Amino acid sequence: MIRAEQLHKHYQMGDSVVHALDGVDLSIKQGEFVAIIGASGSGKSTLMHLIGCLDRPTSGLLEINGELVSAMTEKQLAAARNSYLGFVFQTFNLINRTSALENVLVPLVYTRRAVQRATAKKALDRVGLLSRASHTPSEMSGGECQRVAIARAIVNSPRLLLADEPTGNLDTKTGDQIMQIFHELHAEGITIVLVTHEMDVAVQADRIISMRDGQIVEDTAVDQAQREQILIDAQSSFRKVFDQKAAARAKANDTDAHPKPEAAS
Ligand code: ADP
Ligand code: MG
């Protein structure tokens, strides 16, 4: 599905060159669910933009869905984006002044007009938001906006769905609902590549790729035992925080309840 060889992306910044990607080799098969993690500035978004055909590499080879996208013109990249790719961003990137339905219609410019609205409605229904079709993003919660963005990303039935920190702006519960949709889409056979900095999100994938300074420094399959351990650890660390808070509260209440005997003693 995705094959990258010695992928480089450099940005000229005045006199210096930023090596956003510094020789990435990568292979992702059809049907995989891959998480990419790494510190801020490590090149995750740059890699996603190249795979998403939103930008072109400075050098190296990039093949997606059997096509050599690293050699494509802007027009060909746009066609690739429309035919087999869906992209979900952290900040939703919706058009604010228009309805959810109109937002989902955006990628359907090349589709026959007669089928456009029905297809867009189906995608909105898929993320549980058909009843909000006429609402604008400003009338919706963050989680709902992200679901509209997912509907827009899947409206062309892509084989590959890319998501760059899709739960980064959402609370845990809403983030879990978004992850649930990704799991359902993955179960239907869509290849998913998702960037996150939350380990309990990353372990929901089948494979975790770690980036540092524009390079892949680790690439491992997630096994079920590891997944469960991290999810348990994540929970127990929360539990510890809550236990500490509860203990502090109990102590404060206790002091409040018995101020006089203590003062007298
Ligand atoms: P991440 O998503 O892991 O936080 P990015 O891919 O956004 O990292 O950025 C990688 C590096 O490339 C950073 O040093 C960043 O400042 C730089 N960079 C990203 N986009 C641009 C750009 N359009 N122009 C100049 N530098 C950029
Ligand atoms: Mg980023």
Side-chain angles (χ1 to χ4, degrees):
M1 177 92 245
I2 302 171
R3 187 164 69 95
E5 278 174 21
Q6 279 306 298
L7 213 52
H8 287 260
K9 180 71 185 179
H10 300 166
Y11 294 107
Q12 189 74 43
M13 296 293 284
D15 286 343
S16 63
V17 178
V18 179
H19 295 254
L21 285 187
D22 199 12
V24 166
D25 294 317
L26 176 66
S27 170
I28 294 175
K29 289 195 211 56
Q30 173 73 39
E32 277 196 274
F33 190 156
V34 178
I36 300 179
I37 61 171
S40 175
S42 57
K44 305 181 298 294
S45 292
T46 304
L47 178 59
M48 292 294 269
H49 287 162
L50 295 187
I51 297 173
C53 295
L54 294 162
D55 205 351
R56 267 186 297 202
T58 309
S59 65
L61 177 152
L62 181 60
E63 194 185 280
I64 299 168
N65 206 27
E67 296 190 329
L68 195 60
V69 299
S70 49
M72 284 182 177
T73 63
E74 287 294 338
K75 209 174 158 189
Q76 290 171 319
L77 288 175
R81 284 199 298 273
N82 257 295
S83 61
Y84 51 77
L85 281 169
F87 209 114
V88 176
F89 303 86
Q90 177 175 2
T91 50
F92 323 137
N93 290 19
L94 298 173
I95 305 166
N96 281 318
R97 55 187 173 358
T98 186
S99 70
L101 186 67
E102 291 294 332
N103 270 282
V104 178
L105 277 165
V106 169
L108 292 175
V109 279
Y110 302 113
T111 311
R112 262 194 321 125
R113 196 166 273 278
V115 298
Q116 282 181 358
R117 290 180 80 82
T119 309
K121 281 184 174 173
K122 210 173 127 209
L124 269 180
D125 196 25
R126 181 71 191 71
V127 298
L129 282 183
L130 188 54
S131 61
R132 312 296 298 270
S134 62
H135 293 233
T136 63
S138 57
E139 295 165 334
M140 286 186 272
S141 68
E144 287 169 336
C145 285
Q146 193 60 298
R147 278 150 67 192
V148 173
I150 294 173
R152 181 184 56 188
I154 61 171
V155 75
N156 275 322
S157 308
R159 306 183 70 189
L160 174 61
L161 186 60
L162 304 168
D164 193 350
E165 308 211 27
T167 63
N169 277 8
L170 306 173
D171 62 71
T172 309
K173 191 163 158 267
T174 311
D176 286 349
Q177 290 168 356
I178 297 299
M179 286 306 293
Q180 180 60 36
I181 297 174
F182 286 130
H183 286 303
E184 288 166 12
L185 293 169
H186 178 234
E188 290 167 16
I190 299 182
T191 309
I192 297 182
V193 183
L194 176 149
V195 169
T196 181
H197 56 253
E198 292 155 294
M199 204 51 199
D200 51 334
V201 171
V203 290
Q204 296 183 42
D206 300 325
R207 175 179 165 196
I208 300 179
I209 291 173
S210 308
M211 293 192 69
R212 189 192 300 147
D213 299 333
Q215 296 181 329
I216 291 176
V217 290
E218 215 183 310
D219 187 343
T220 50
V222 180
D223 65 59
Q224 188 57 23
Q226 182 191 9
R227 176 177 292 140
E228 276 167 17
Q229 195 52 53
I230 284 174
L231 290 174
I232 289 166
D233 282 352
Q235 239 180 23
S236 67
S237 72
F238 284 135
R239 214 174 285 142
K240 217 160 86 188
V241 172
F242 285 123
D243 286 348
Q244 283 164 354
K245 278 187 177 171
R249 240 190 340 260
K251 203 174 157 197
N253 284 341
D254 216 28
T255 319
D256 286 344
H258 312 286
K260 285 199 180 109
E262 271 177 40
S265 65

